[in-house]
Short mmCIF file of all heavy atoms in Angstrom, two decimals:
data_model
loop_
_atom_site.label_atom_id
_atom_site.label_comp_id
_atom_site.label_asym_id
_atom_site.label_seq_id
_atom_site.Cartn_x
_atom_site.Cartn_y
_atom_site.Cartn_z
N ILE I 95 12.08 -6.32 -3.83
CA ILE I 95 11.33 -7.48 -3.36
C ILE I 95 12.19 -8.71 -3.45
O ILE I 95 12.23 -9.48 -2.46
CB ILE I 95 10.03 -7.63 -4.09
CG1 ILE I 95 9.19 -6.39 -3.71
CG2 ILE I 95 9.34 -8.98 -3.65
CD1 ILE I 95 7.89 -6.31 -4.63
N ALA I 96 12.90 -8.99 -4.53
CA ALA I 96 13.68 -10.15 -4.64
C ALA I 96 14.98 -9.88 -5.47
O ALA I 96 15.26 -10.36 -6.51
CB ALA I 96 12.86 -11.27 -5.42
N PRO I 97 15.90 -9.08 -4.78
CA PRO I 97 17.13 -8.77 -5.46
C PRO I 97 18.02 -10.01 -5.56
O PRO I 97 17.80 -10.94 -4.68
CB PRO I 97 17.77 -7.71 -4.54
CG PRO I 97 17.07 -7.91 -3.27
CD PRO I 97 15.75 -8.39 -3.51
N ASP I 98 18.93 -10.08 -6.49
CA ASP I 98 19.89 -11.22 -6.54
C ASP I 98 20.58 -11.49 -5.17
O ASP I 98 21.00 -10.49 -4.45
CB ASP I 98 20.96 -10.92 -7.60
CG ASP I 98 20.37 -11.04 -8.98
OD1 ASP I 98 19.32 -11.60 -9.19
OD2 ASP I 98 21.05 -10.43 -9.95
N GLY I 99 20.70 -12.64 -4.79
CA GLY I 99 21.27 -13.06 -3.57
C GLY I 99 20.42 -12.96 -2.31
O GLY I 99 20.87 -13.35 -1.24
N SER I 100 19.13 -12.54 -2.47
CA SER I 100 18.26 -12.46 -1.25
C SER I 100 17.64 -13.81 -0.88
O SER I 100 17.14 -13.84 0.26
CB SER I 100 17.15 -11.47 -1.69
OG SER I 100 16.25 -12.00 -2.61
N GLY I 101 17.74 -14.80 -1.78
CA GLY I 101 17.02 -16.05 -1.42
C GLY I 101 15.59 -16.02 -1.76
O GLY I 101 14.88 -16.93 -1.42
N ARG I 102 15.04 -14.88 -2.25
CA ARG I 102 13.65 -14.72 -2.53
C ARG I 102 13.39 -14.69 -4.06
O ARG I 102 14.28 -14.28 -4.78
CB ARG I 102 13.13 -13.42 -1.99
CG ARG I 102 13.19 -13.32 -0.43
CD ARG I 102 12.45 -12.07 0.05
NE ARG I 102 13.15 -10.93 -0.39
CZ ARG I 102 13.89 -10.16 0.28
NH1 ARG I 102 14.30 -10.57 1.59
NH2 ARG I 102 14.53 -9.03 -0.13
N GLN I 103 12.25 -15.20 -4.41
CA GLN I 103 11.85 -15.15 -5.78
C GLN I 103 10.49 -14.48 -5.79
O GLN I 103 9.72 -14.76 -4.87
CB GLN I 103 11.69 -16.56 -6.47
CG GLN I 103 13.03 -17.27 -6.59
CD GLN I 103 12.75 -18.65 -7.06
OE1 GLN I 103 11.71 -19.24 -7.17
NE2 GLN I 103 13.84 -19.30 -7.57
N ALA I 104 10.20 -13.64 -6.81
CA ALA I 104 8.94 -12.94 -6.82
C ALA I 104 8.43 -12.82 -8.25
O ALA I 104 9.30 -12.84 -9.17
CB ALA I 104 9.09 -11.55 -6.19
N VAL I 126 5.40 -13.86 -3.72
CA VAL I 126 6.74 -13.99 -3.35
C VAL I 126 6.99 -15.39 -2.67
O VAL I 126 6.28 -15.81 -1.87
CB VAL I 126 7.12 -12.88 -2.30
CG1 VAL I 126 8.54 -12.81 -1.83
CG2 VAL I 126 6.65 -11.48 -2.78
N HIS I 127 8.14 -15.93 -3.15
CA HIS I 127 8.48 -17.24 -2.77
C HIS I 127 9.80 -17.14 -1.94
O HIS I 127 10.76 -16.75 -2.35
CB HIS I 127 8.69 -18.23 -3.93
CG HIS I 127 7.61 -18.15 -4.93
ND1 HIS I 127 6.35 -18.67 -4.67
CD2 HIS I 127 7.52 -17.59 -6.10
CE1 HIS I 127 5.51 -18.49 -5.69
NE2 HIS I 127 6.22 -17.73 -6.59
N LEU I 128 9.60 -17.57 -0.55
CA LEU I 128 10.73 -17.69 0.30
C LEU I 128 11.19 -19.09 0.43
O LEU I 128 10.39 -20.00 0.05
CB LEU I 128 10.43 -17.10 1.62
CG LEU I 128 9.89 -15.69 1.58
CD1 LEU I 128 9.40 -15.22 2.96
CD2 LEU I 128 10.93 -14.73 1.14
N GLU I 129 12.26 -19.39 1.02
CA GLU I 129 12.70 -20.71 1.21
C GLU I 129 11.73 -21.57 2.06
O GLU I 129 11.48 -22.75 1.71
CB GLU I 129 14.10 -20.90 1.92
CG GLU I 129 15.22 -20.38 1.00
CD GLU I 129 16.57 -20.49 1.71
OE1 GLU I 129 16.63 -21.26 2.74
OE2 GLU I 129 17.41 -19.75 1.27
N ASP I 130 11.11 -20.94 3.03
CA ASP I 130 10.29 -21.79 3.90
C ASP I 130 8.72 -21.44 3.80
O ASP I 130 7.97 -22.08 4.41
CB ASP I 130 10.66 -21.46 5.42
CG ASP I 130 10.59 -20.08 5.85
OD1 ASP I 130 10.59 -19.16 4.89
OD2 ASP I 130 10.60 -19.74 6.97
N ARG I 131 8.41 -20.49 2.90
CA ARG I 131 6.93 -20.14 2.79
C ARG I 131 6.74 -19.23 1.61
O ARG I 131 7.69 -18.67 1.11
CB ARG I 131 6.33 -19.48 4.06
CG ARG I 131 6.99 -18.09 4.38
CD ARG I 131 6.58 -17.62 5.80
NE ARG I 131 7.08 -16.37 6.14
CZ ARG I 131 8.33 -16.07 6.40
NH1 ARG I 131 9.24 -17.07 6.45
NH2 ARG I 131 8.75 -14.84 6.67
N ASP I 132 5.48 -19.12 1.27
CA ASP I 132 5.04 -18.24 0.17
C ASP I 132 4.30 -17.06 0.78
O ASP I 132 3.59 -17.26 1.74
CB ASP I 132 4.18 -18.95 -0.87
CG ASP I 132 5.02 -19.96 -1.62
OD1 ASP I 132 6.26 -19.85 -1.79
OD2 ASP I 132 4.33 -20.81 -2.16
#
Side-chain angles (χ1 to χ4, degrees):
I95 297 171
D98 287 342
S100 68
R102 296 186 298 260
Q103 296 177 342
V126 182
H127 310 287
L128 307 170
E129 287 181 22
D130 60 342
R131 67 191 180 284
D132 290 335

